[in-house]
Amino acid sequence: MSTPTTIVWLRQDLRLADQPALRRAASRGRVIPVYIYAPEEEGDWPPGGASRWWLHHSLESLDEQLRQLGSRLIRRRGTTQDILNELLEETGATAVYWNRRYEPAAIERDKTVKAALLAMGVQAESFNGSLLYEPWTIRTKQDAPYQVFTPFWKACLATETVHESLPAPRELVSPPKWPKSLPLDELELLPSNSWDAQFYETWQAGAPAAERRLRQFVNETVRRYHEDRDRADFDGSSRLSPHLHFGELSPRQIWAAVEKSSGKVPAGKSKLGQGAEVFLKEVGWREFAYHLLYHFPSTTKEPLREQFRRFPWRRSATELWSWQRGQTGFPIVDAAMRQLWATGYMPNRTRMIVASFLTKDLRLSWQQGARWFWDTLVDADLANNTLGWQWTAGCGADAAPYFRVFNPTMQAEKADPHGDYIRRWVPELATLPTKWLREPWTAPAEELAAAGVKLGETYPQPMVDHHEARDAALAAYERVKNS
Ligand SMILES: Cc1cc2nc3c(=O)[nH]c(=O)nc-3n(C[C@H](O)[C@H](O)[C@H](O)COP(=O)(O)OP(=O)(O)OC[C@H]3O[C@@H](n4cnc5c(N)ncnc54)[C@H](O)[C@@H]3O)c2cc1C
């Protein structure tokens, strides 16, 4: 009997280690790793510009890693079902394996694909490669999904799960003849302008880079994570988010690395340092985001809390543009939005600051903010982005209350105490003394002149008066609160 061939359909699991689908395929016989670029199948959320940039480099890296095992990555573009059918026919493969995704459009597509494969007599199997706890395994005592993080995470930690990660296969058996693969450039993932210039200085995609970053974070940064994670002026967090989104790293690998560096974690009662504990809890927020997305799929578009459907959002294309381009006149907001545009990233604290500014100071809808993030973040992730926006706007599960309006000045004092972050991303204010840097409109004329700042010319006047905007937001909230 000839050795059976398995297609491994890769998606957001672009790695070789802790890769259940690949591992199972490798133990069955010959393996054909395949990536199918099918943005039309992502519903309303085809990958944005920054995600496509990352994907290009991640696919390149994965192909290199596979070649070191004597294998390769087959790239195709088109309708998944058609391409799988073609490949099955071309290669004589008798099984297709993949790791599960949890976005609503992906779930629907995957169900259809699985049914079609099984109907053709092809073995079709999916695995858990990207979560510690799959969404349907964690339920409240009333057998409902959780909507509050703390009891959700407690329930997770009390549940038996695998925290150990699987090693990468040592070798992969190739088919006698490789099917055709599309050259990477023909996927047309990179921008046609030079928008991505700074991405190259900031990031290295691919599992080897992800593992290096994880090692460095666990060895150097994690012990101070609880204190430094909110800082914008240096890397106090792991910056693993794009690697996690694309599955270059699994949460099990993260868990295992943190455990190894800090001693075993008995379920619920951890002996970890405070930094490691707070960090793993953030990884828990990612689990919670997937739990919510799975159980409340409409939240990518609609607020979870129904009364917010009637919230009187304002509409203004010019104000939205000023926010997107970092021209609001609030230096901490502008610094963060410019960092996002230049590097595809901003830290969690500034994400909350700019999201609060958009939804409360400007009262523009969180959906517009989520869309912009979707296009510009290298870590754009439907579960985490939806949770982050609904949390900040106050309309989601376990959200910040709507009346909590971030004060940009006070937030900047904490996130960027010396003004280094603002100076880096808003260079037109670079020589303004720190005292005036966060509110340049309060600076005396001679200070502005000495720093070469002309408000309204070299740097914008503030778009709104924060205190008035806050009152207006709270008044709007009062109207919907009890409806
Ligand atoms: C408005 C808004 C939008 C966001 N959009 C995204 C998004 O599209 N993609 C994304 O990955 N994260 C998003 N986040 C969550 C968070 O800001 C990022 O995960 C984090 O800043 C990434 O940096 P890091 O890897 O250094 O995080 P760390 O602090 O080192 O955390 C480790 C990992 O835990 C997860 N994590 C951390 N914080 C959160 C959180 N609050 N919610 C869910 N998961 C979390 C991430 O996977 C992260 O990589 C958003 C937050 C807000 C407020």
Side-chain angles (χ1 to χ4, degrees), residues 38-98:
E40 303 77 13
E41 295 175 12
E42 298 293 331
D44 294 325
W45 302 93
S51 297
R52 289 197 298 274
W53 180 90
W54 193 284
L55 179 61
H56 176 101
H57 297 287
S58 193
L59 293 177
E60 191 171 40
S61 165
L62 184 63
D63 191 34
E64 280 165 24
Q65 295 162 58
L66 283 165
R67 281 175 192 268
Q68 283 169 15
L69 296 184
S71 183
R72 65 180 66 172
L73 179 64
I74 301 302
R75 289 171 298 260
R76 295 272 174 108
R77 180 180 182 146
T79 308
T80 299
Q81 187 69 63
D82 294 348
I83 289 172
L84 287 177
N85 291 351
E86 283 164 25
L87 286 168
L88 287 164
E89 172 118 10
E90 285 169 36
T91 63
T94 49
V96 182
Y97 292 169
W98 64 89

Side-chain angles (χ1 to χ4, degrees), residues 225 237-241 244 279 282-283 285-286 345-348 351-352 355 373 377 379-381 384-385 387-389 392:
Y225 176 82
S237 67
S238 71
R239 289 194 171 222
L240 288 170
S241 48
L244 265 168
F279 173 69
E282 288 308 311
V283 177
W285 272 93
R286 176 178 177 274
Y345 179 87
M346 71 168 89
N348 184 58
R351 291 185 202 207
M352 294 195 287
F373 269 31
L377 276 172
D379 65 21
D381 181 283
N384 289 357
N385 200 38
L387 172 79
W389 278 97
T392 321

Side-chain angles (χ1 to χ4, degrees), residues 65 80 85 104 125 141 219 298 416 431 446 466:
Q65 295 162 58
T80 299
N85 291 351
E125 248 187 275
K141 286 207 178 74
N219 290 336
S298 65
D416 183 28
T431 55
E446 57 279 11
H466 172 67

